[in-house]
Amino acid sequence: MRAFNISDNGMFMRLLLTSSVFDGWDLIKAQVTMGCRFEIAGERQADFYEDEAEKTGYVGWAAVKPFVYEIIRGKKPPLQMLIVLRHPTCISSQTQDCMMNIQLQHGVIQVISGVSYKTFTLDKSDERTWDDTVEALLKEHKVPYEAFI
């Protein structure tokens, strides 16, 4: 797990909400606090879907992104925000989920990388690889940040 404090909130929010960079990722959950709290659970509701392949898993960020954008846009920034995205592929057969937590609190955006494993392991090489992958993504898109942890 590694944390990255984003130095340019506007740039990162445009990347998140108006570009296609994260469109292939799944949404685990989103919480946005403005005048009230909005919550979106990314888990698919099987009864809504007819196609068996769509009945399990999580919705894609691309499908939910316009709703989050509509909630956030305006003159005032959110008081708080939490968006948890899961990458569609993982590092190895040992890892179950490779995630990115995006938190906005007190005007600071923090991106936190995280990995969940299928079974307990002392080997943290997959976690370090995912941390490096998230950092490379930020660099690739020229997002200014300060790394922690």
Side-chain angles (χ1 to χ4, degrees), residues 29 47 53 76 78 119 140 143:
K29 70 176 176 178
D47 293 341
K76 288 186 165 187
T119 60
E140 176 185 349
V143 176

Side-chain angles (χ1 to χ4, degrees), residues 27-103:
L27 174 74
I28 304 297
K29 70 176 176 178
Q31 297 173 341
V32 179
T33 304
M34 302 289 284
C36 64
R37 177 178 286 189
F38 298 89
E39 294 189 32
I40 301 171
E43 196 168 335
R44 290 180 191 252
Q45 301 301 305
D47 293 341
F48 182 79
Y49 298 95
E50 293 177 18
D51 184 2
E52 279 301 314
E54 294 182 316
K55 289 188 176 192
T56 60
Y58 294 91
V59 297
W61 172 243
V64 179
K65 179 172 63 172
F67 300 108
V68 176
Y69 179 79
E70 283 300 315
I71 292 168
I72 290 175
R73 76 177 225 180
K75 293 181 181 178
K76 288 186 165 187
L79 296 173
Q80 291 181 317
M81 179 183 77
L82 171 65
I83 297 174
V84 181
L85 299 176
R86 181 180 75 172
H87 197 271
T89 59
C90 252
I91 305 298
S92 74
S93 59
Q94 290 183 42
T95 55
Q96 182 170 330
D97 295 312
C98 294
M99 295 173 284
M100 186 167 64
N101 298 315
I102 302 162
Q103 299 176 359

Side-chain angles (χ1 to χ4, degrees), residues 105-117:
Q105 200 164 11
H106 306 294
V108 176
I109 295 177
Q110 194 170 61
V111 173
I112 303 168
S113 59
V115 171
S116 65
Y117 291 94

Side-chain angles (χ1 to χ4, degrees), residues 112-128:
I112 303 168
S113 59
V115 171
S116 65
Y117 291 94
K118 292 178 182 175
T119 60
F120 177 77
T121 180
L122 294 174
D123 179 10
K124 301 298 182 191
S125 59
D126 287 346
E127 188 172 330
R128 287 188 294 277

